[in-house]
Amino acid sequence: MVKKKRPREHIIADLSVNHVERYVFLCGYSVERMEYDYGFDLVIFTYDNNGEIENGQIYVQLKATDSLKVLANQDTVTFPIARSDLELWLNEPMPCILIVYDAQLDVAYWLYLQAYFENLEGFDLSQVGQSVTVRLPKKNLVDQEAIKKFARYRDDVLRQIKGVIRHDA
């Protein structure tokens, strides 16, 4: 009788979650795993110095690979993303962070998606095919400082929308 086998893709996906969660916990924050992946794998919640929860959240999409694509300059990695994911992320007001985990080296790189595409000259979502390749600087390592930076991005968004949203019933 042949038993079911755990594929390598599942192993490295779990390793990528573990990698990110550790840094989130070291910051004193919490993270929730999404049971069903419809564009986000994790949601990060932050807390102030008194341990009180802060408004807003940070969305994370994880991608794990054993064969990371590195450009010739050795300073940048590339990763393809689906247009359907991009449409979700670019219409989300809270920060969406793409994290690409290199299972061979046990390191992860991040990209603030909305900022990346806002600063990409000539980018037009309506002109994108089924996928687009993004470039992640290798200096964008996932660590405690990166997680804290994500919280600052969220704070910047909250400052911009303060007093503008009206919830009329």
Side-chain angles (χ1 to χ4, degrees):
M1 179 183 335
V2 178
K3 294 182 181 181
K4 287 188 175 186
K5 294 181 180 180
R6 180 166 158 84
R8 175 73 178 156
E9 296 81 28
H10 292 184
I11 294 168
I12 66 174
D14 286 345
L15 286 169
S16 71
V17 170
N18 176 265
H19 188 87
V20 174
E21 283 181 333
R22 176 169 172 69
Y23 291 115
V24 171
F25 298 148
L26 286 169
C27 290
Y29 304 157
S30 64
V31 62
E32 291 191 17
R33 295 180 187 186
M34 304 303 288
E35 184 176 356
Y36 303 105
D37 180 2
Y38 294 109
F40 301 115
D41 294 305
L42 304 173
V43 180
I44 300 172
F45 296 91
T46 65
Y47 303 83
D48 66 18
N49 292 333
N50 296 324
E52 296 174 346
I53 193 163
E54 297 176 320
N55 289 97
Q57 57 279 335
I58 301 145
Y59 293 104
V60 176
Q61 176 64 46
L62 291 167
K63 300 292 185 183
T65 183
D66 274 322
S67 55
L68 192 66
K69 304 281 190 267
V70 181
L71 293 181
N73 68 10
Q74 296 297 309
D75 295 332
T76 307
V77 299
T78 63
F79 201 87
I81 54 176
R83 178 194 172 120
S84 58
D85 286 329
L86 194 54
E87 288 179 8
L88 172 69
W89 299 331
L90 296 183
N91 287 302
E92 172 57 46
M94 288 294 115
C96 298
I97 309 295
L98 172 67
I99 295 179
V100 177
Y101 176 73
D102 182 344
Q104 295 298 307
L105 297 177
D106 189 33
V107 296
Y109 307 101
W110 62 269
L111 187 67
Y112 182 6
L113 288 158
Q114 293 103 319
Y116 176 84
F117 285 100
E118 281 180 21
N119 292 309
L120 194 60
E121 190 173 323
F123 176 76
D124 182 351
L125 183 57
S126 69
Q127 300 300 311
V128 172
Q130 293 300 309
S131 69
V132 63
T133 299
V134 295
R135 295 175 176 219
L136 298 86
K138 287 179 86 175
K139 68 180 181 179
N140 285 7
L141 277 175
V142 173
D143 56 16
Q144 279 181 262
E145 189 52 43
I147 303 298
K148 291 177 185 175
K149 191 177 281 190
F150 304 161
R152 290 193 298 272
Y153 295 152
R154 186 267 333 264
D155 293 344
D156 288 343
V157 170
L158 290 173
R159 271 192 293 281
Q160 292 176 59
I161 62 175
K162 195 168 189 95
V164 175
I165 298 173
R166 297 198 184 5
H167 297 280
D168 296 324

